[in-house]
Structures are given as structure tokens and as C-alpha cells.
């Protein structure tokens, strides 16, 4: 029922059982999904996009393909996984295979600029943001933002490049120092600093374009290594947000029960996802001290916190297994 392969020789195998093919590069993230596929009796196969080759004239194996490209793949030594994913998904779509997280979603995952544009185009309040190409223009453009402000990497995830700066001079010194982190794509974002009304952010999870549950992420401790968002209030004096580990200490994450499928904001998110053709996503927002509800991130490869999963009315991985299994069964119908 289950195999793991590297992308060394993909081709159509006559009589092969159709299955869900999961395209990703980090096996450490996969166990909850493996358990969900097994529980739902959905045949699946992991495909690690870390190396390999393709015969572009060979027909892909039958089934449904789920792309879980992570924008932070390069931080795990998989610098070219983004390009591999682009190539594999283009090949799959060229052969007419059903891809969840297809080429348009791949481009959204690796670009916060694209996410910002999508949110703004659909009428959401987004943070004031400047995208700076290269390093030289950063000090000048930063002066267009009031202090404090924060920085991010355009190809983000794991809080890459997220720092708070309390003066422009402090930022100038950082940019000129060896501590400056070069973004993977060369694009640094400068963004207004948002003060939350309460010390938490919210992430709403969606599968099949429909709401599953919302997670409340506590930011009161002042350390943000475990925050699954990169727009939390970040530490002062240019301190970095080191990483985002969703399965860290359980007290930081809880089910936010007042955010439901009937919440107007959730319904707007569902409309956004439906219009953009995004089937699986986590959308993050912050309620600010001055009364704004600011949406700042559309993540297309959610990892689910076990403490929340234990009390949620529905399981994120379980919903994904059921959704992909349903797509697979639909292919088998005459």
C-alpha cells in the first residue's frame, strides 16, 4: 500500500494501482499524514523531491498528486527543491494529472509578494509592505516606514529573516554587517510593525477550500521560536525570529473556538481560496490594538499542532486524507 521513492525514474507502470502521490522534501513532517492515510484506507506513496530525473515523454503513474512544497526547503539543504517541484508539477499538469497544490499554488507558496497581492486584490487589510531587490537600497527604502518596523524574506517559512528594528540607524548597521541574511531569492520585505490587541495571532485551516478549525497561537512569552507565523510581534533590538516549529511546547497553541465556519472572515477566506483555486491552506491574521484585522500569510503546506489536533472537532490530516481519497475514488468512477 505504501512505498517511498526518490524521483529517479518516474514512468507509467501498466496495471499500477492508482494512489495519492505526496510530493515533498522533509520526511520528518510526514508521520501524521501517513497515519491519516492508513486510517482512511487511502493508498499513497511518498515522493521526495531532493534529486532524481524525469522522462518528460513518459506518462506519469496514475492517481492524484499532492504537492507539499515548502518555501523553507532550502534551509534543510534542499536549495533546488523549488525548481524541482516546478518541473515535476509542469510535467504532471502537461499529462493532465490531477494535482492538488499545482503550479499556481507553488508560485504562491514561495512568494510573500504574491500572497500580499492576492490578499489585497480580494479586499483584505494587509500590512504596509515594501519589496526590496538586493541589499543596496534597503536603508533608503526603510525610511519610508515609521519605526519600529520588521523585515522578512520573500521566500519565507520558519520566520526567515524576521526581525524588528527600533531605529533606522540600527537597521543600517544590520544591513552592513555579516549578520544580514541574504534571502534565497534576493528579495527582502520591509513591513509595518503591527501591535496586537491581545498577545496572540490566529491561523485558520482549510481543506478542500472549506474551514476545518482555527488555532490560537500565544505570543505573550516574548520568545517566538515556536510561533507558526512570521508576523507575530518579534523581539526588540533586531533580535531574530529563529524558527517556526508547530509541534513545540503544547501551551502555545490552542483551539480558537470563537472562530467558526459561520464567521464572516472565514467565509471571505473560503471565497478567496475558491477563486484562487487553492484547496489546502492555512491563513494567518492578527487583530491589532487599533481595531484592524490584518491578514498577512497564506500557507499552502500546513503542519498541524498535536495539542490542537487532540481537542479539535475534526483532524487536519484526517480531512486531507479524506479529501484526497475522495478525489482518487472519483477518478475510478466510470
Amino acid at each position: 500500500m505504501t512505498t517511498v521513492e526518490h524521483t529517479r525514474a518516474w514512468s507509467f507502470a501498466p496495471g499500477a494501482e492508482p494512489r495519492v502521490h505526496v510530493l515533498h522534501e522533509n520526511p520528518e513532517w510526514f508521520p501524521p499524514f501517513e497515519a491519516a492515510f492508513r486510517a482512511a484506507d487511502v493508498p499513497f506513496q511518498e515522493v521526495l523531491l531532493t534529486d532524481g530525473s524525469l522522462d518528460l515523454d513518459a506518462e506519469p503513474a496514475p492517481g492524484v498528486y499532492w504537492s507539499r512544497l515548502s518555501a523553507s526547503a532550502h534551509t534543510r539543504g534542499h536549495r533546488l527543491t523549488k525548481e524541482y517541484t516546478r518541473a515535476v508539477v509542469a510535467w504532471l499538469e502537461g499529462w493532465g494529472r490531477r494535482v492538488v497544490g499545482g503550479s499556481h499554488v507553488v508560485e504562491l507558496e514561495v512568494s510573500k509578494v504574491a500572497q500580499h497581492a492576492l490578499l489585497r486584490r480580494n479586499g483584505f487589510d494587509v500590512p504596509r509592505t515594501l519589496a526590496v531587490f538586493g541589499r543596496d537600497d534597503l536603508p533608503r527604502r526603510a525610511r519610508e516606514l515609521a519605526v519600529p518596523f520588521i523585515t522578512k524574506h520573500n521566500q519565507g517559512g520558519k520566520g526567515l529573516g524576521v526581525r524588528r528594528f527600533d531605529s533606522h540607524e540600527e537597521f543600517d548597521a544590520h544591513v552592513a554587517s555579516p549578520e544580514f541574511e541574504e534571502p534565497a531569492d534576493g528579495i527582502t520585505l520591509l513591513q509595518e510593525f503591527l501591535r496586537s490587541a491581545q498577545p496572540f495571532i490566529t491561523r485558520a485551516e482549510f481543506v478542500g477550500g472549506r474551514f476545518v478549525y482555527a488555532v490560537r497561537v500565544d505570543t505573550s512569552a516574548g520568545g517566538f521560536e515556536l510561533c507558526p507565523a512570521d508576523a507575530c510581534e518579534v523581539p526588540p533590538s533586531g533580535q531574530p525570529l529563529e524558527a517556526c516549529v508547530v509541534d513545540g511546547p503544547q501551551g502555545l497553541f490552542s483551539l480558537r473556538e470563537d472562530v467558526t465556519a459561520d464567521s464572516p472572515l472565514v467565509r471571505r477566506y473560503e471565497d478567496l481560496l475558491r477563486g484562487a483555486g487553492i484547496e489546502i491552506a492555512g491563513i494567518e491574521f492578527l487583530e491589532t490594538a487599533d481595531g484592524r484585522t490584518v491578514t498577512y500569510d497564506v500557507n499552502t503546506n500546513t503542519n498541524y499542532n498535536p495539542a490542537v489536533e487532540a481537542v479539535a472537532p475534526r483532524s487536519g490530516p484526517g480531512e486531507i486524507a479524506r479529501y484526497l481519497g475522495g478525489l482518487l475514488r472519483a477518478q475510478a468512477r466510470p
Side-chain angles (χ1 to χ4, degrees):
M1 176 178 179
T2 307
T3 59
V4 179
E5 71 173 34
H6 293 265
T7 53
R8 297 189 180 280
W10 289 20
S11 61
F12 178 78
E17 179 191 23
R19 61 188 62 214
V20 173
H21 304 266
V22 185
L23 316 180
H24 70 113
E25 49 77 38
N26 188 0
E28 293 182 4
W29 288 346
F30 196 68
F33 301 103
E34 177 176 355
F37 284 128
R38 292 188 184 279
D41 196 26
V42 175
F44 69 95
Q45 178 177 47
E46 287 185 75
V47 182
L48 302 181
L49 293 181
T50 54
D51 60 6
S53 59
L54 289 175
D55 180 350
L56 299 182
D57 296 312
E59 185 176 358
V64 172
Y65 289 78
W66 175 32
S67 170
R68 274 185 54 79
L69 169 66
S70 169
S72 62
H74 61 286
T75 68
R76 291 177 291 278
H78 304 146
R79 183 175 60 87
L80 295 176
T81 287
K82 175 175 68 172
E83 305 307 327
Y84 296 163
T85 304
R86 283 172 167 158
V88 169
V89 170
W91 171 65
L92 292 169
E93 291 176 341
W95 278 94
R97 288 295 182 262
R98 178 67 162 91
V99 182
V100 174
S103 55
H104 64 296
V105 177
V106 167
E107 298 310 316
L108 192 71
E109 171 65 20
V110 299
S111 175
K112 291 188 180 299
V113 168
Q115 295 168 30
H116 189 280
L118 175 68
L119 291 165
R120 176 178 288 283
R121 185 168 67 247
N122 284 272
F124 291 92
D125 189 355
V126 291
R128 163 81 169 129
T129 306
L130 302 170
V132 181
F133 311 135
R135 190 169 182 167
D136 294 345
D137 211 24
L138 281 167
R140 182 180 70 85
R141 296 310 301 264
R143 281 162 172 76
E144 298 178 33
L145 294 175
V147 293
F149 62 91
I150 66 173
T151 62
K152 300 179 180 179
H153 287 182
N154 178 56
Q155 185 179 327
K158 294 177 61 178
L160 291 171
V162 181
R163 290 176 176 252
R164 167 180 162 175
F165 293 91
D166 293 322
S167 74
H168 293 110
E169 293 73 23
E170 176 189 10
F171 179 63
D172 295 348
H174 172 69
V175 171
S177 77
E179 292 184 3
F180 178 76
E181 300 174 85
E182 292 284 353
D185 60 3
I187 303 174
T188 299
L189 304 183
L190 306 176
Q191 194 169 88
E192 67 171 309
F193 177 72
L194 301 171
R195 299 185 184 277
S196 59
Q198 300 290 331
F200 66 86
I201 62 93
T202 303
R203 180 174 180 135
E205 303 290 0
F206 300 84
V207 175
R210 303 302 300 271
F211 178 73
V212 179
Y213 58 67
V215 180
R216 183 187 190 276
V217 185
D218 189 342
T219 62
S220 62
F224 298 92
E225 290 81 0
L226 299 168
C227 179
D230 57 12
C232 304
E233 289 191 43
V234 293
S237 303
Q239 293 302 307
L241 174 60
E242 296 291 355
C244 301
V245 182
V246 179
D247 59 357
Q250 307 301 298
L252 295 179
F253 307 93
S254 59
L255 188 68
R256 185 168 175 188
E257 298 184 60
D258 63 312
V259 176
T260 71
D262 294 324
S263 299
L265 182 62
V266 167
R267 290 182 172 177
R268 290 186 64 203
Y269 287 153
E270 289 182 339
D271 289 342
L272 167 76
L273 296 175
R274 184 165 47 252
I278 301 169
E279 295 167 89
I280 298 174
I283 302 180
E284 295 171 7
F285 65 92
L286 175 69
E287 293 148 310
T288 69
D290 58 357
R292 298 167 62 190
T293 297
V294 181
T295 306
Y296 56 83
D297 187 61
V298 181
N299 187 298
T300 61
N301 68 338
T302 287
N303 290 297
Y304 299 92
N305 177 259
V308 177
E309 281 283 298
V311 299
R314 294 185 291 161
S315 163
E319 289 298 307
I320 288 174
R322 282 187 284 275
Y323 180 67
L324 297 177
L327 296 179
L328 191 64
R329 289 189 295 276
Q331 288 187 349
R333 298 190 190 110

